[in-house]
Amino acid sequence: MPADHILTYALAMRGGVEAALARMLPGWLDRGRRVTLILGDAGGQFQGGVPLGVETVTLGHQRYGGLFSALPAMIARARPDIVFCPGNHYTAMAAWTRARLAGSCPPIVAKMSNAVDRGDQAPLIAWGQRQWLAGHRLFLDALVAMTPATAREAQGATGLSVAVIPNPPTRLDPATVPRATTPGRRILGVGRLEPQKRWDRLITAMTHLPEDIGLTILGEGSLRPALTAQIEILGLSHRVSLPGHSADAPAAMAAAQVVALPSDYEGVPGVLREALAVGTPVVATDSSPAVHEIVSHRALGTIVPREDLGALVAALRHWLDPVALRPEPVPQPGQDSADRYLALFDSIVAARARRGIGTTGPLEPSLVW
């Protein structure tokens, strides 16, 4: 019994989780599945990536709580075969939906989009996060992680069997993306201007680098005023720019000498895969186990401790040296992600049918690491 009707949801189509979701939807449609997308708000730079054919319902609730409260009733009306929760940020909504709908709730599959152990949490908050993750087995039917290392962490934290399915890759052809042509001195950051990303670290590192080195951070978010103030206070306005979102990030990555990601925590950072796909080296903090899986060789980039500013500066200096060799483009995984998700969905729906309509509780996915 296939999962003919898939329902998924997001607050708005902005951010890495939502970008990955937008890349997944065409594959499900192309394989004949019906897809419903419930959005709290119609905004977001990835809204245009939602393909025609997806039944999109926009609630007009721009805040998290609006989607949170409305989601169970929306799911009850739509009656999908399965619900896909696209990231950690949304699992509380999944728990609320399961509690509200009880035995009539369709199976829920969630993706672990962030590291289990976050680098920005105080011990008591980290303990609470662990308790929350341990409770996921009570409302999820299956959990997906994007790499083996993150799957092992997720299974240990939740007790669920975890399927390993990469995100669908960003569509780009390295042969058509221009390579950097200047001996260069440009660092690129790509990501939301939010506390998790710790762009303040990268801006501070600029004060320890030569004057001819510039920094561009592509993205938008709540920290724009604070980061702009930091740039001005440090006297870096002529070297650091925050131009906002870009629709041509791969070309910007290819033109940069290095792509940097100084985050406190990540899941499986797609920006690192995208940079390596166009042959640009990366410098990243050890923000998740997946970083080590992506930057698997010193020829691809450098991983530094989160709080070690000296190591960050030294790594940037190394890759900004004109004699540093750029890596060959690294193909992105995930070409078959849509099929692998559908196989998982179908197995869960079929198992629930065998157990009887209305059965609740987690089922074991057939595709585990």
Side-chain angles (χ1 to χ4, degrees), residues 2 6 30 51 116 123 182 189 194 211 221 263 334 337 340 355 363:
I6 303 162
D30 291 346
V116 168
T182 58
E194 299 295 343
E211 277 286 321
S263 305
S337 294
R340 292 167 67 179
R355 290 172 55 157
L363 305 177

Side-chain angles (χ1 to χ4, degrees), residues 294-355:
I294 296 169
V295 191
S296 57
H297 191 276
R298 69 179 69 182
L300 301 178
T302 306
I303 303 170
V304 301
R306 279 175 282 218
E307 299 297 340
D308 193 335
L309 178 63
L312 176 61
V313 171
L316 293 170
R317 283 183 179 273
H318 169 76
W319 290 108
L320 288 163
D321 191 322
V323 302
L325 295 177
R326 294 170 69 92
E328 290 299 315
V330 178
Q332 299 180 73
Q335 300 292 339
D336 61 346
S337 294
D339 288 319
R340 292 167 67 179
Y341 265 105
L342 291 179
L344 176 61
F345 293 167
D346 291 350
S347 70
I348 292 170
V349 170
R352 175 168 286 208
R354 289 194 297 270
R355 290 172 55 157

Side-chain angles (χ1 to χ4, degrees), residues 41-130:
D41 179 56
Q45 72 271 32
F46 302 116
Q47 181 71 50
V50 176
L52 294 175
V54 171
E55 301 170 21
T56 303
V57 180
T58 303
L59 302 178
H61 302 310
Q62 297 186 17
R63 296 186 181 276
Y64 189 93
L67 179 59
F68 184 100
S69 61
L71 187 62
M74 299 294 296
I75 290 173
R77 284 197 290 271
R79 302 185 65 181
D81 295 306
I82 204 154
V83 173
F84 177 59
C85 171
N88 298 53
H89 181 64
Y90 296 114
T91 53
M93 296 184 187
W96 174 241
T97 296
R98 175 75 76 183
R100 291 286 292 169
L101 300 184
S104 63
C105 184
I108 303 174
V109 176
K111 185 179 72 175
M112 180 71 74
S113 58
N114 272 322
V116 168
D117 294 313
R118 288 175 42 167
D120 65 332
Q121 292 179 330
L124 183 60
I125 296 175
W127 177 85
Q129 172 75 358
R130 281 280 182 170

Side-chain angles (χ1 to χ4, degrees), residues 161-243:
S161 294
V162 183
V164 179
I165 308 176
N167 277 337
T170 304
R171 298 298 177 187
L172 56 89
D173 181 358
T176 65
V177 177
R179 301 273 288 192
T181 57
T182 58
R185 315 294 283 180
R186 199 79 194 169
I187 303 165
L188 181 70
V190 181
R192 294 173 298 118
L193 306 184
E194 299 295 343
Q196 168 191 354
K197 300 297 183 180
R198 291 304 305 271
W199 298 120
D200 59 300
R201 283 184 180 140
L202 192 54
I203 293 169
T204 299
M206 290 293 292
T207 64
H208 300 274
L209 294 171
E211 277 286 321
D212 66 323
I213 292 173
L215 167 64
T216 300
I217 302 174
L218 299 178
E220 197 52 80
S222 64
L223 289 188
R224 171 174 285 279
L227 295 175
T228 300
Q230 181 190 11
I231 292 166
E232 293 176 353
I233 290 169
L234 295 177
L236 295 172
S237 298
H238 63 298
R239 297 173 56 197
V240 179
S241 63
L242 305 175

Side-chain angles (χ1 to χ4, degrees), residues 13-26:
M13 295 303 289
R14 60 173 65 93
V17 165
E18 293 78 12
L21 177 61
R23 296 197 300 272
M24 184 72 71
L25 299 177

Side-chain angles (χ1 to χ4, degrees), residues 272-291:
L272 299 184
R273 292 200 191 279
E274 293 166 16
L276 293 174
V278 295
T280 298
V282 298
V283 171
T285 50
D286 55 351
S287 52
S288 84
V291 172

